[in-house]
mmCIF file with all atom_site columns, all heavy atoms in Angstrom:
data_model
loop_
_atom_site.group_PDB
_atom_site.id
_atom_site.type_symbol
_atom_site.label_atom_id
_atom_site.label_alt_id
_atom_site.label_comp_id
_atom_site.label_asym_id
_atom_site.label_entity_id
_atom_site.label_seq_id
_atom_site.pdbx_PDB_ins_code
_atom_site.Cartn_x
_atom_site.Cartn_y
_atom_site.Cartn_z
_atom_site.occupancy
_atom_site.B_iso_or_equiv
_atom_site.pdbx_formal_charge
_atom_site.auth_seq_id
_atom_site.auth_comp_id
_atom_site.auth_asym_id
_atom_site.auth_atom_id
_atom_site.pdbx_PDB_model_num
ATOM 1   N N   . ASN A 1 22 ? 9.731  7.148  10.187 1.00 0.00 ? 493 ASN A N   1
ATOM 2   C CA  . ASN A 1 22 ? 10.297 7.967  9.137  1.00 0.00 ? 493 ASN A CA  1
ATOM 3   C C   . ASN A 1 22 ? 11.803 7.996  9.370  1.00 0.00 ? 493 ASN A C   1
ATOM 4   O O   . ASN A 1 22 ? 12.280 8.620  10.310 1.00 0.00 ? 493 ASN A O   1
ATOM 5   C CB  . ASN A 1 22 ? 9.707  9.378  9.184  1.00 0.00 ? 493 ASN A CB  1
ATOM 6   C CG  . ASN A 1 22 ? 10.199 10.231 8.047  1.00 0.00 ? 493 ASN A CG  1
ATOM 7   O OD1 . ASN A 1 22 ? 11.274 10.023 7.520  1.00 0.00 ? 493 ASN A OD1 1
ATOM 8   N ND2 . ASN A 1 22 ? 9.389  11.213 7.681  1.00 0.00 ? 493 ASN A ND2 1
ATOM 9   N N   . THR A 1 23 ? 12.558 7.271  8.530  1.00 0.00 ? 494 THR A N   1
ATOM 10  C CA  . THR A 1 23 ? 13.988 7.145  8.758  1.00 0.00 ? 494 THR A CA  1
ATOM 11  C C   . THR A 1 23 ? 14.755 8.427  8.477  1.00 0.00 ? 494 THR A C   1
ATOM 12  O O   . THR A 1 23 ? 15.916 8.536  8.833  1.00 0.00 ? 494 THR A O   1
ATOM 13  C CB  . THR A 1 23 ? 14.578 5.985  7.926  1.00 0.00 ? 494 THR A CB  1
ATOM 14  O OG1 . THR A 1 23 ? 14.263 6.205  6.554  1.00 0.00 ? 494 THR A OG1 1
ATOM 15  C CG2 . THR A 1 23 ? 14.014 4.655  8.390  1.00 0.00 ? 494 THR A CG2 1
ATOM 16  N N   . THR A 1 24 ? 14.118 9.398  7.856  1.00 0.00 ? 495 THR A N   1
ATOM 17  C CA  . THR A 1 24 ? 14.765 10.685 7.625  1.00 0.00 ? 495 THR A CA  1
ATOM 18  C C   . THR A 1 24 ? 14.773 11.506 8.905  1.00 0.00 ? 495 THR A C   1
ATOM 19  O O   . THR A 1 24 ? 15.777 12.081 9.288  1.00 0.00 ? 495 THR A O   1
ATOM 20  C CB  . THR A 1 24 ? 14.031 11.461 6.513  1.00 0.00 ? 495 THR A CB  1
ATOM 21  O OG1 . THR A 1 24 ? 14.006 10.654 5.347  1.00 0.00 ? 495 THR A OG1 1
ATOM 22  C CG2 . THR A 1 24 ? 14.729 12.773 6.213  1.00 0.00 ? 495 THR A CG2 1
ATOM 23  N N   . SER A 1 25 ? 13.628 11.532 9.607  1.00 0.00 ? 496 SER A N   1
ATOM 24  C CA  . SER A 1 25 ? 13.532 12.346 10.815 1.00 0.00 ? 496 SER A CA  1
ATOM 25  C C   . SER A 1 25 ? 13.460 11.514 12.090 1.00 0.00 ? 496 SER A C   1
ATOM 26  O O   . SER A 1 25 ? 13.444 12.061 13.177 1.00 0.00 ? 496 SER A O   1
ATOM 27  C CB  . SER A 1 25 ? 12.284 13.234 10.737 1.00 0.00 ? 496 SER A CB  1
ATOM 28  O OG  . SER A 1 25 ? 11.126 12.424 10.722 1.00 0.00 ? 496 SER A OG  1
ATOM 29  N N   . ASN A 1 26 ? 13.403 10.182 11.955 1.00 0.00 ? 497 ASN A N   1
ATOM 30  C CA  . ASN A 1 26 ? 13.280 9.263  13.092 1.00 0.00 ? 497 ASN A CA  1
ATOM 31  C C   . ASN A 1 26 ? 12.044 9.537  13.941 1.00 0.00 ? 497 ASN A C   1
ATOM 32  O O   . ASN A 1 26 ? 12.049 9.322  15.138 1.00 0.00 ? 497 ASN A O   1
ATOM 33  C CB  . ASN A 1 26 ? 14.530 9.284  13.965 1.00 0.00 ? 497 ASN A CB  1
ATOM 34  C CG  . ASN A 1 26 ? 15.697 8.630  13.273 1.00 0.00 ? 497 ASN A CG  1
ATOM 35  O OD1 . ASN A 1 26 ? 15.514 7.670  12.519 1.00 0.00 ? 497 ASN A OD1 1
ATOM 36  N ND2 . ASN A 1 26 ? 16.880 9.133  13.502 1.00 0.00 ? 497 ASN A ND2 1
ATOM 37  N N   . GLU A 1 27 ? 10.979 10.033 13.316 1.00 0.00 ? 498 GLU A N   1
ATOM 38  C CA  . GLU A 1 27 ? 9.731  10.261 14.021 1.00 0.00 ? 498 GLU A CA  1
ATOM 39  C C   . GLU A 1 27 ? 8.813  9.061  13.811 1.00 0.00 ? 498 GLU A C   1
ATOM 40  O O   . GLU A 1 27 ? 8.738  8.509  12.720 1.00 0.00 ? 498 GLU A O   1
ATOM 41  C CB  . GLU A 1 27 ? 9.025  11.502 13.484 1.00 0.00 ? 498 GLU A CB  1
ATOM 42  C CG  . GLU A 1 27 ? 9.774  12.787 13.734 1.00 0.00 ? 498 GLU A CG  1
ATOM 43  C CD  . GLU A 1 27 ? 9.098  13.974 13.078 1.00 0.00 ? 498 GLU A CD  1
ATOM 44  O OE1 . GLU A 1 27 ? 8.173  13.768 12.272 1.00 0.00 ? 498 GLU A OE1 1
ATOM 45  O OE2 . GLU A 1 27 ? 9.495  15.098 13.383 1.00 0.00 ? 498 GLU A OE2 1
ATOM 46  N N   . LEU A 1 28 ? 8.106  8.677  14.846 1.00 0.00 ? 499 LEU A N   1
ATOM 47  C CA  . LEU A 1 28 ? 7.120  7.624  14.730 1.00 0.00 ? 499 LEU A CA  1
ATOM 48  C C   . LEU A 1 28 ? 5.791  8.265  14.369 1.00 0.00 ? 499 LEU A C   1
ATOM 49  O O   . LEU A 1 28 ? 5.334  9.189  15.038 1.00 0.00 ? 499 LEU A O   1
ATOM 50  C CB  . LEU A 1 28 ? 6.971  6.854  16.056 1.00 0.00 ? 499 LEU A CB  1
ATOM 51  C CG  . LEU A 1 28 ? 6.046  5.648  16.007 1.00 0.00 ? 499 LEU A CG  1
ATOM 52  C CD1 . LEU A 1 28 ? 6.635  4.581  15.082 1.00 0.00 ? 499 LEU A CD1 1
ATOM 53  C CD2 . LEU A 1 28 ? 5.835  5.079  17.391 1.00 0.00 ? 499 LEU A CD2 1
ATOM 54  N N   . VAL A 1 29 ? 5.209  7.824  13.286 1.00 0.00 ? 500 VAL A N   1
ATOM 55  C CA  . VAL A 1 29 ? 3.950  8.382  12.817 1.00 0.00 ? 500 VAL A CA  1
ATOM 56  C C   . VAL A 1 29 ? 2.956  7.261  12.622 1.00 0.00 ? 500 VAL A C   1
ATOM 57  O O   . VAL A 1 29 ? 3.323  6.125  12.369 1.00 0.00 ? 500 VAL A O   1
ATOM 58  C CB  . VAL A 1 29 ? 4.139  9.169  11.498 1.00 0.00 ? 500 VAL A CB  1
ATOM 59  C CG1 . VAL A 1 29 ? 4.897  10.457 11.749 1.00 0.00 ? 500 VAL A CG1 1
ATOM 60  C CG2 . VAL A 1 29 ? 4.870  8.342  10.478 1.00 0.00 ? 500 VAL A CG2 1
ATOM 61  N N   . THR A 1 30 ? 1.669  7.564  12.789 1.00 0.00 ? 501 THR A N   1
ATOM 62  C CA  . THR A 1 30 ? 0.640  6.534  12.649 1.00 0.00 ? 501 THR A CA  1
ATOM 63  C C   . THR A 1 30 ? -0.375 6.943  11.603 1.00 0.00 ? 501 THR A C   1
ATOM 64  O O   . THR A 1 30 ? -0.499 8.102  11.255 1.00 0.00 ? 501 THR A O   1
ATOM 65  C CB  . THR A 1 30 ? -0.079 6.279  13.987 1.00 0.00 ? 501 THR A CB  1
ATOM 66  O OG1 . THR A 1 30 ? -0.683 7.491  14.410 1.00 0.00 ? 501 THR A OG1 1
ATOM 67  C CG2 . THR A 1 30 ? 0.869  5.763  15.048 1.00 0.00 ? 501 THR A CG2 1
ATOM 68  N N   . ARG A 1 31 ? -1.146 5.972  11.151 1.00 0.00 ? 502 ARG A N   1
ATOM 69  C CA  . ARG A 1 31 ? -2.143 6.192  10.099 1.00 0.00 ? 502 ARG A CA  1
ATOM 70  C C   . ARG A 1 31 ? -3.412 5.475  10.484 1.00 0.00 ? 502 ARG A C   1
ATOM 71  O O   . ARG A 1 31 ? -3.376 4.328  10.887 1.00 0.00 ? 502 ARG A O   1
ATOM 72  C CB  . ARG A 1 31 ? -1.566 5.630  8.789  1.00 0.00 ? 502 ARG A CB  1
ATOM 73  C CG  . ARG A 1 31 ? -2.525 5.641  7.649  1.00 0.00 ? 502 ARG A CG  1
ATOM 74  C CD  . ARG A 1 31 ? -2.463 6.990  6.937  1.00 0.00 ? 502 ARG A CD  1
ATOM 75  N NE  . ARG A 1 31 ? -3.389 6.968  5.852  1.00 0.00 ? 502 ARG A NE  1
ATOM 76  C CZ  . ARG A 1 31 ? -4.384 7.815  5.708  1.00 0.00 ? 502 ARG A CZ  1
ATOM 77  N NH1 . ARG A 1 31 ? -4.548 8.783  6.546  1.00 0.00 ? 502 ARG A NH1 1
ATOM 78  N NH2 . ARG A 1 31 ? -5.201 7.724  4.693  1.00 0.00 ? 502 ARG A NH2 1
ATOM 79  N N   . ASP A 1 32 ? -4.554 6.142  10.335 1.00 0.00 ? 503 ASP A N   1
ATOM 80  C CA  . ASP A 1 32 ? -5.807 5.467  10.619 1.00 0.00 ? 503 ASP A CA  1
ATOM 81  C C   . ASP A 1 32 ? -6.200 4.597  9.430  1.00 0.00 ? 503 ASP A C   1
ATOM 82  O O   . ASP A 1 32 ? -5.501 4.541  8.423  1.00 0.00 ? 503 ASP A O   1
ATOM 83  C CB  . ASP A 1 32 ? -6.909 6.462  10.977 1.00 0.00 ? 503 ASP A CB  1
ATOM 84  C CG  . ASP A 1 32 ? -7.337 7.328  9.797  1.00 0.00 ? 503 ASP A CG  1
ATOM 85  O OD1 . ASP A 1 32 ? -6.992 7.011  8.643  1.00 0.00 ? 503 ASP A OD1 1
ATOM 86  O OD2 . ASP A 1 32 ? -8.030 8.314  10.037 1.00 0.00 ? 503 ASP A OD2 1
ATOM 87  N N   . SER A 1 33 ? -7.323 3.946  9.515  1.00 0.00 ? 504 SER A N   1
ATOM 88  C CA  . SER A 1 33 ? -7.713 2.997  8.471  1.00 0.00 ? 504 SER A CA  1
ATOM 89  C C   . SER A 1 33 ? -8.556 3.639  7.373  1.00 0.00 ? 504 SER A C   1
ATOM 90  O O   . SER A 1 33 ? -9.171 2.942  6.584  1.00 0.00 ? 504 SER A O   1
ATOM 91  C CB  . SER A 1 33 ? -8.471 1.827  9.093  1.00 0.00 ? 504 SER A CB  1
ATOM 92  O OG  . SER A 1 33 ? -9.641 2.298  9.731  1.00 0.00 ? 504 SER A OG  1
ATOM 93  N N   . GLY A 1 34 ? -8.558 4.974  7.256  1.00 0.00 ? 505 GLY A N   1
ATOM 94  C CA  . GLY A 1 34 ? -9.334 5.643  6.214  1.00 0.00 ? 505 GLY A CA  1
ATOM 95  C C   . GLY A 1 34 ? -8.799 5.440  4.813  1.00 0.00 ? 505 GLY A C   1
ATOM 96  O O   . GLY A 1 34 ? -9.508 5.651  3.847  1.00 0.00 ? 505 GLY A O   1
ATOM 97  N N   . PHE A 1 35 ? -7.549 5.027  4.695  1.00 0.00 ? 506 PHE A N   1
ATOM 98  C CA  . PHE A 1 35 ? -6.949 4.721  3.397  1.00 0.00 ? 506 PHE A CA  1
ATOM 99  C C   . PHE A 1 35 ? -6.437 3.294  3.469  1.00 0.00 ? 506 PHE A C   1
ATOM 100 O O   . PHE A 1 35 ? -5.684 2.940  4.372  1.00 0.00 ? 506 PHE A O   1
ATOM 101 C CB  . PHE A 1 35 ? -5.804 5.690  3.096  1.00 0.00 ? 506 PHE A CB  1
ATOM 102 C CG  . PHE A 1 35 ? -5.102 5.372  1.802  1.00 0.00 ? 506 PHE A CG  1
ATOM 103 C CD1 . PHE A 1 35 ? -5.731 5.592  0.597  1.00 0.00 ? 506 PHE A CD1 1
ATOM 104 C CD2 . PHE A 1 35 ? -3.836 4.834  1.807  1.00 0.00 ? 506 PHE A CD2 1
ATOM 105 C CE1 . PHE A 1 35 ? -5.099 5.284  -0.600 1.00 0.00 ? 506 PHE A CE1 1
ATOM 106 C CE2 . PHE A 1 35 ? -3.194 4.530  0.626  1.00 0.00 ? 506 PHE A CE2 1
ATOM 107 C CZ  . PHE A 1 35 ? -3.827 4.758  -0.583 1.00 0.00 ? 506 PHE A CZ  1
ATOM 108 N N   . GLN A 1 36 ? -6.856 2.461  2.525  1.00 0.00 ? 507 GLN A N   1
ATOM 109 C CA  . GLN A 1 36 ? -6.503 1.047  2.587  1.00 0.00 ? 507 GLN A CA  1
ATOM 110 C C   . GLN A 1 36 ? -6.085 0.514  1.228  1.00 0.00 ? 507 GLN A C   1
ATOM 111 O O   . GLN A 1 36 ? -6.717 0.800  0.213  1.00 0.00 ? 507 GLN A O   1
ATOM 112 C CB  . GLN A 1 36 ? -7.695 0.236  3.100  1.00 0.00 ? 507 GLN A CB  1
ATOM 113 C CG  . GLN A 1 36 ? -7.429 -1.254 3.200  1.00 0.00 ? 507 GLN A CG  1
ATOM 114 C CD  . GLN A 1 36 ? -8.603 -1.997 3.780  1.00 0.00 ? 507 GLN A CD  1
ATOM 115 O OE1 . GLN A 1 36 ? -9.168 -1.564 4.793  1.00 0.00 ? 507 GLN A OE1 1
ATOM 116 N NE2 . GLN A 1 36 ? -8.985 -3.090 3.164  1.00 0.00 ? 507 GLN A NE2 1
ATOM 117 N N   . VAL A 1 37 ? -5.015 -0.261 1.233  1.00 0.00 ? 508 VAL A N   1
ATOM 118 C CA  . VAL A 1 37 ? -4.543 -0.971 0.046  1.00 0.00 ? 508 VAL A CA  1
ATOM 119 C C   . VAL A 1 37 ? -4.676 -2.456 0.318  1.00 0.00 ? 508 VAL A C   1
ATOM 120 O O   . VAL A 1 37 ? -4.272 -2.935 1.378  1.00 0.00 ? 508 VAL A O   1
ATOM 121 C CB  . VAL A 1 37 ? -3.074 -0.609 -0.272 1.00 0.00 ? 508 VAL A CB  1
ATOM 122 C CG1 . VAL A 1 37 ? -2.509 -1.495 -1.372 1.00 0.00 ? 508 VAL A CG1 1
ATOM 123 C CG2 . VAL A 1 37 ? -2.962 0.859  -0.665 1.00 0.00 ? 508 VAL A CG2 1
ATOM 124 N N   . ASN A 1 38 ? -5.252 -3.184 -0.634 1.00 0.00 ? 509 ASN A N   1
ATOM 125 C CA  . ASN A 1 38 ? -5.391 -4.637 -0.514 1.00 0.00 ? 509 ASN A CA  1
ATOM 126 C C   . ASN A 1 38 ? -4.432 -5.333 -1.470 1.00 0.00 ? 509 ASN A C   1
ATOM 127 O O   . ASN A 1 38 ? -4.234 -4.884 -2.605 1.00 0.00 ? 509 ASN A O   1
ATOM 128 C CB  . ASN A 1 38 ? -6.816 -5.093 -0.854 1.00 0.00 ? 509 ASN A CB  1
ATOM 129 C CG  . ASN A 1 38 ? -7.817 -4.733 0.208  1.00 0.00 ? 509 ASN A CG  1
ATOM 130 O OD1 . ASN A 1 38 ? -7.467 -4.249 1.283  1.00 0.00 ? 509 ASN A OD1 1
ATOM 131 N ND2 . ASN A 1 38 ? -9.080 -4.950 -0.087 1.00 0.00 ? 509 ASN A ND2 1
ATOM 132 N N   . TYR A 1 39 ? -3.876 -6.439 -1.013 1.00 0.00 ? 510 TYR A N   1
ATOM 133 C CA  . TYR A 1 39 ? -3.060 -7.324 -1.850 1.00 0.00 ? 510 TYR A CA  1
ATOM 134 C C   . TYR A 1 39 ? -3.843 -8.608 -2.076 1.00 0.00 ? 510 TYR A C   1
ATOM 135 O O   . TYR A 1 39 ? -4.610 -9.042 -1.206 1.00 0.00 ? 510 TYR A O   1
ATOM 136 C CB  . TYR A 1 39 ? -1.735 -7.636 -1.162 1.00 0.00 ? 510 TYR A CB  1
ATOM 137 C CG  . TYR A 1 39 ? -0.750 -6.498 -1.217 1.00 0.00 ? 510 TYR A CG  1
ATOM 138 C CD1 . TYR A 1 39 ? -0.801 -5.462 -0.295 1.00 0.00 ? 510 TYR A CD1 1
ATOM 139 C CD2 . TYR A 1 39 ? 0.238  -6.463 -2.189 1.00 0.00 ? 510 TYR A CD2 1
ATOM 140 C CE1 . TYR A 1 39 ? 0.102  -4.416 -0.341 1.00 0.00 ? 510 TYR A CE1 1
ATOM 141 C CE2 . TYR A 1 39 ? 1.151  -5.422 -2.248 1.00 0.00 ? 510 TYR A CE2 1
ATOM 142 C CZ  . TYR A 1 39 ? 1.072  -4.407 -1.316 1.00 0.00 ? 510 TYR A CZ  1
ATOM 143 O OH  . TYR A 1 39 ? 1.965  -3.370 -1.375 1.00 0.00 ? 510 TYR A OH  1
#
Side-chain angles (χ1 to χ4, degrees):
N493 184 333
T494 56
T495 303
S496 64
N497 289 326
E498 295 175 349
L499 185 65
V500 289
T501 60
R502 174 87 180 122
D503 68 14
S504 61
F506 177 71
Q507 180 177 314
V508 171
N509 288 353
Y510 284 84

